[in-house]
Coordinates of all heavy atoms in Angstrom, one line a residue:
K1 N 14.4 -4.9 -50.6 CA 15.6 -4.1 -50.8 C 15.9 -3.3 -49.6 O 15.1 -2.7 -49.0 CB 15.3 -3.1 -52.0 CG 15.0 -3.8 -53.3 CD 14.8 -2.7 -54.4 CE 14.5 -3.4 -55.8 NZ 14.3 -2.3 -56.8
V2 N 17.2 -3.3 -49.2 CA 17.7 -2.5 -48.2 C 18.7 -1.5 -48.8 O 19.6 -1.9 -49.5 CB 18.5 -3.3 -47.1 CG1 19.2 -2.4 -46.2 CG2 17.5 -4.2 -46.4
V3 N 18.4 -0.2 -48.6 CA 19.3 0.9 -49.2 C 19.9 1.6 -48.0 O 19.3 2.0 -47.1 CB 18.4 1.8 -50.0 CG1 19.3 3.0 -50.5 CG2 17.8 1.1 -51.2
T4 N 21.3 1.7 -48.1 CA 22.0 2.4 -47.0 C 22.5 3.7 -47.6 O 22.8 3.9 -48.7 CB 23.2 1.6 -46.5 OG1 24.1 1.4 -47.6 CG2 22.7 0.2 -46.1
Y5 N 22.5 4.7 -46.7 CA 23.0 6.0 -47.0 C 24.1 6.5 -46.1 O 23.9 6.7 -44.9 CB 21.8 7.0 -47.0 CG 22.1 8.4 -47.4 CD1 22.6 8.7 -48.6 CD2 21.9 9.5 -46.5 CE1 22.9 10.0 -49.0 CE2 22.2 10.8 -46.9 CZ 22.7 11.0 -48.2 OH 23.0 12.3 -48.5
E6 N 25.3 6.6 -46.7 CA 26.5 7.1 -46.0 C 26.8 6.3 -44.8 O 27.2 6.8 -43.7 CB 26.3 8.6 -45.6 CG 26.2 9.5 -46.8 CD 26.1 11.0 -46.5 OE1 25.8 11.3 -45.3 OE2 26.2 11.8 -47.4
L7 N 26.6 5.0 -44.9 CA 26.9 4.0 -43.8 C 28.2 3.3 -44.0 O 28.6 3.1 -45.2 CB 25.8 3.0 -43.6 CG 24.4 3.5 -43.1 CD1 23.5 2.3 -42.8 CD2 24.6 4.4 -41.9
P8 N 28.9 3.0 -42.9 CA 30.1 2.2 -43.1 C 29.8 0.8 -43.6 O 28.7 0.3 -43.4 CB 30.7 2.2 -41.7 CG 29.5 2.3 -40.8 CD 28.6 3.2 -41.5
T9 N 30.8 0.1 -44.1 CA 30.7 -1.3 -44.5 C 31.7 -2.1 -43.8 O 32.6 -1.5 -43.1 CB 30.8 -1.4 -46.0 OG1 32.2 -1.1 -46.4 CG2 29.8 -0.5 -46.8
A10 N 31.7 -3.4 -44.0 CA 32.7 -4.3 -43.4 C 34.1 -4.0 -43.9 O 35.1 -4.2 -43.2 CB 32.3 -5.7 -43.6
D11 N 34.2 -3.3 -45.1 CA 35.5 -3.0 -45.6 C 36.0 -1.6 -45.2 O 37.1 -1.3 -45.6 CB 35.4 -3.1 -47.2 CG 35.1 -4.4 -47.7 OD1 35.5 -5.4 -47.0 OD2 34.4 -4.5 -48.7
T12 N 35.2 -0.9 -44.5 CA 35.6 0.4 -44.1 C 36.8 0.3 -43.1 O 36.7 -0.4 -42.1 CB 34.5 1.2 -43.4 OG1 33.4 1.3 -44.3 CG2 34.9 2.6 -42.9
P13 N 37.9 1.0 -43.3 CA 39.1 0.9 -42.4 C 38.8 1.5 -41.0 O 38.1 2.5 -40.9 CB 40.2 1.6 -43.2 CG 39.5 2.5 -44.1 CD 38.2 1.9 -44.5
N14 N 39.4 0.9 -40.0 CA 39.4 1.5 -38.7 C 38.0 1.8 -38.2 O 37.7 2.8 -37.7 CB 40.2 2.8 -38.6 CG 41.7 2.6 -39.1 OD1 42.3 1.6 -38.7 ND2 42.2 3.5 -39.9
L15 N 37.1 0.8 -38.3 CA 35.8 0.9 -37.8 C 35.7 1.2 -36.3 O 36.4 0.5 -35.5 CB 35.0 -0.4 -38.1 CG 34.5 -0.6 -39.5 CD1 33.9 -2.0 -39.7 CD2 33.5 0.4 -40.0
T16 N 34.9 2.1 -35.9 CA 34.7 2.4 -34.5 C 33.7 1.3 -33.9 O 33.1 0.6 -34.7 CB 34.1 3.8 -34.2 OG1 32.9 3.9 -34.8 CG2 35.1 4.8 -34.8
E17 N 33.6 1.2 -32.6 CA 32.7 0.2 -32.0 C 31.2 0.5 -32.5 O 30.5 -0.4 -32.8 CB 32.8 0.2 -30.5 CG 34.1 -0.4 -30.0 CD 34.4 -1.8 -30.5 OE1 33.4 -2.6 -30.5 OE2 35.5 -2.1 -31.0
P18 N 30.8 1.8 -32.4 CA 29.4 2.1 -32.9 C 29.3 1.7 -34.4 O 28.2 1.1 -34.8 CB 29.2 3.6 -32.7 CG 30.2 3.9 -31.6 CD 31.4 3.0 -31.8
Q19 N 30.3 1.9 -35.2 CA 30.2 1.6 -36.6 C 30.1 0.1 -36.8 O 29.4 -0.4 -37.7 CB 31.4 2.1 -37.4 CG 31.3 3.6 -37.6 CD 32.6 4.2 -38.3 OE1 33.7 3.6 -38.1 NE2 32.4 5.2 -39.1
K20 N 30.8 -0.7 -36.0 CA 30.7 -2.2 -36.1 C 29.3 -2.6 -35.8 O 28.8 -3.6 -36.5 CB 31.7 -2.8 -35.1 CG 33.2 -2.6 -35.5 CD 34.1 -3.2 -34.4 CE 35.5 -3.0 -34.7 NZ 36.4 -3.5 -33.6
L21 N 28.7 -2.0 -34.8 CA 27.3 -2.4 -34.5 C 26.4 -2.1 -35.7 O 25.4 -2.9 -36.0 CB 26.8 -1.7 -33.3 CG 27.3 -2.2 -31.9 CD1 26.7 -1.3 -30.8 CD2 27.0 -3.6 -31.7
V22 N 26.6 -1.0 -36.4 CA 25.8 -0.6 -37.5 C 26.0 -1.6 -38.7 O 25.0 -2.0 -39.3 CB 26.1 0.9 -38.0 CG1 25.5 1.2 -39.3 CG2 25.7 1.9 -36.9
V23 N 27.2 -1.9 -39.0 CA 27.5 -2.9 -40.0 C 26.8 -4.2 -39.7 O 26.2 -4.8 -40.6 CB 29.0 -3.1 -40.2 CG1 29.3 -4.3 -41.1 CG2 29.7 -1.8 -40.7
Q24 N 26.9 -4.7 -38.5 CA 26.2 -5.9 -38.1 C 24.7 -5.8 -38.3 O 24.1 -6.8 -38.7 CB 26.6 -6.3 -36.7 CG 28.1 -6.6 -36.5 CD 28.5 -6.7 -35.1 OE1 27.7 -6.7 -34.1 NE2 29.8 -6.8 -34.8
F25 N 24.2 -4.7 -37.9 CA 22.7 -4.5 -37.9 C 22.2 -4.6 -39.4 O 21.2 -5.2 -39.7 CB 22.3 -3.2 -37.3 CG 20.9 -2.9 -37.4 CD1 20.0 -3.6 -36.6 CD2 20.4 -1.9 -38.3 CE1 18.6 -3.3 -36.6 CE2 19.0 -1.6 -38.3 CZ 18.1 -2.3 -37.5
V26 N 22.9 -3.9 -40.3 CA 22.5 -3.9 -41.7 C 22.5 -5.3 -42.2 O 21.6 -5.7 -42.9 CB 23.5 -3.0 -42.5 CG1 23.2 -3.1 -44.0 CG2 23.3 -1.5 -42.1
A27 N 23.6 -6.1 -41.9 CA 23.7 -7.5 -42.4 C 22.5 -8.3 -41.8 O 21.9 -9.1 -42.6 CB 25.0 -8.1 -42.0
K28 N 22.2 -8.1 -40.6 CA 21.1 -8.9 -40.0 C 19.7 -8.5 -40.6 O 18.9 -9.4 -40.8 CB 21.1 -8.7 -38.4 CG 22.3 -9.3 -37.7 CD 22.2 -9.0 -36.2 CE 23.4 -9.6 -35.5 NZ 23.5 -9.3 -34.1
V29 N 19.5 -7.3 -40.8 CA 18.2 -6.8 -41.4 C 18.1 -7.4 -42.8 O 17.1 -7.9 -43.2 CB 18.1 -5.3 -41.4 CG1 16.9 -4.9 -42.2 CG2 18.0 -4.8 -40.0
S30 N 19.2 -7.3 -43.6 CA 19.2 -7.8 -45.0 C 18.9 -9.3 -45.0 O 18.1 -9.8 -45.8 CB 20.5 -7.5 -45.6 OG 20.7 -6.1 -45.7
K31 N 19.5 -10.0 -44.1 CA 19.3 -11.5 -44.0 C 17.9 -11.8 -43.6 O 17.2 -12.7 -44.1 CB 20.3 -12.1 -43.0 CG 20.2 -13.6 -42.9 CD 21.2 -14.2 -41.9 CE 21.1 -15.7 -41.8 NZ 22.0 -16.3 -40.9
H32 N 17.4 -11.0 -42.6 CA 16.0 -11.3 -42.1 C 15.0 -11.1 -43.2 O 14.0 -11.8 -43.3 CB 15.7 -10.3 -41.0 CG 14.3 -10.5 -40.4 ND1 14.0 -11.4 -39.5 CD2 13.1 -9.8 -40.6 CE1 12.7 -11.4 -39.1 NE2 12.2 -10.4 -39.9
L33 N 15.2 -10.1 -44.1 CA 14.3 -9.8 -45.2 C 14.6 -10.5 -46.5 O 13.9 -10.4 -47.5 CB 14.3 -8.3 -45.5 CG 13.8 -7.3 -44.4 CD1 14.1 -5.9 -44.8 CD2 12.3 -7.6 -44.2
S34 N 15.7 -11.3 -46.5 CA 16.2 -11.9 -47.7 C 16.4 -10.9 -48.8 O 15.9 -11.0 -49.9 CB 15.3 -13.1 -48.2 OG 15.2 -14.1 -47.2
A35 N 16.9 -9.7 -48.4 CA 16.9 -8.5 -49.3 C 18.3 -8.3 -49.9 O 19.3 -8.7 -49.4 CB 16.6 -7.3 -48.4
T36 N 18.3 -7.6 -51.0 CA 19.5 -7.1 -51.6 C 19.9 -5.8 -50.9 O 19.0 -5.1 -50.4 CB 19.3 -6.8 -53.1 OG1 18.3 -5.8 -53.2 CG2 18.9 -8.0 -53.9
T37 N 21.2 -5.5 -50.8 CA 21.6 -4.3 -50.1 C 22.5 -3.5 -51.1 O 23.3 -4.0 -51.8 CB 22.5 -4.7 -48.9 OG1 21.8 -5.6 -48.1 CG2 22.9 -3.5 -48.2
S38 N 22.2 -2.2 -51.1 CA 22.9 -1.3 -52.0 C 23.1 0.0 -51.3 O 22.3 0.4 -50.4 CB 22.2 -1.1 -53.3 OG 20.9 -0.5 -53.1
A39 N 24.2 0.7 -51.7 CA 24.5 2.0 -51.1 C 23.9 3.1 -52.0 O 23.9 3.0 -53.2 CB 26.0 2.2 -51.0
Y40 N 23.4 4.1 -51.4 CA 22.7 5.2 -52.2 C 23.6 6.4 -52.2 O 24.2 6.8 -51.2 CB 21.4 5.5 -51.5 CG 20.6 6.6 -52.2 CD1 20.0 6.3 -53.5 CD2 20.4 7.8 -51.7 CE1 19.2 7.2 -54.1 CE2 19.6 8.8 -52.3 CZ 19.1 8.5 -53.6 OH 18.3 9.4 -54.2
N41 N 23.7 7.1 -53.4 CA 24.4 8.3 -53.5 C 23.4 9.4 -54.0 O 22.9 9.4 -55.1 CB 25.5 8.2 -54.6 CG 26.4 9.4 -54.6 OD1 25.9 10.5 -54.8 ND2 27.7 9.2 -54.5
L42 N 23.0 10.3 -53.1 CA 22.0 11.3 -53.3 C 22.4 12.3 -54.4 O 21.7 12.6 -55.3 CB 21.6 12.0 -52.0 CG 20.6 13.1 -52.2 CD1 19.3 12.7 -52.8 CD2 20.3 13.8 -50.8
S43 N 23.7 12.7 -54.3 CA 24.2 13.7 -55.3 C 24.1 13.2 -56.7 O 23.7 13.9 -57.6 CB 25.6 14.1 -54.9 OG 25.7 14.7 -53.6
T44 N 24.6 12.0 -56.9 CA 24.6 11.4 -58.2 C 23.2 11.1 -58.7 O 22.9 11.4 -59.9 CB 25.4 10.0 -58.2 OG1 26.7 10.3 -57.8 CG2 25.4 9.4 -59.6
H45 N 22.3 10.6 -57.9 CA 21.0 10.3 -58.3 C 20.2 11.5 -58.7 O 19.5 11.6 -59.7 CB 20.2 9.5 -57.2 CG 19.0 8.9 -57.6 ND1 17.9 8.6 -56.8 CD2 18.5 8.5 -58.9 CE1 16.9 8.0 -57.4 NE2 17.3 8.0 -58.7

């Protein structure tokens, strides 16, 4: 399982260059682990 916290996604509008690298990294880690990916909301949890 890969859990992301307040990270941009591929659907985030107007991604900056650093954000694009982050999105790509999350995807590569998830693929490497054959993991599910979900966003975490601390306030709600």
Side-chain angles (χ1 to χ4, degrees):
K1 295 181 181 179
V2 171
V3 175
T4 64
Y5 182 57
E6 298 181 347
L7 292 187
T9 67
D11 297 329
T12 302
N14 303 316
L15 286 171
T16 64
E17 291 304 312
Q19 288 177 325
K20 291 177 183 177
L21 286 180
V22 171
V23 170
Q24 294 167 8
F25 177 74
V26 172
K28 291 176 181 178
V29 172
S30 298
K31 182 178 180 181
H32 181 82
L33 293 173
S34 300
T36 60
T37 304
S38 61
Y40 182 70
N41 188 306
L42 176 57
S43 298
T44 300
H45 194 205

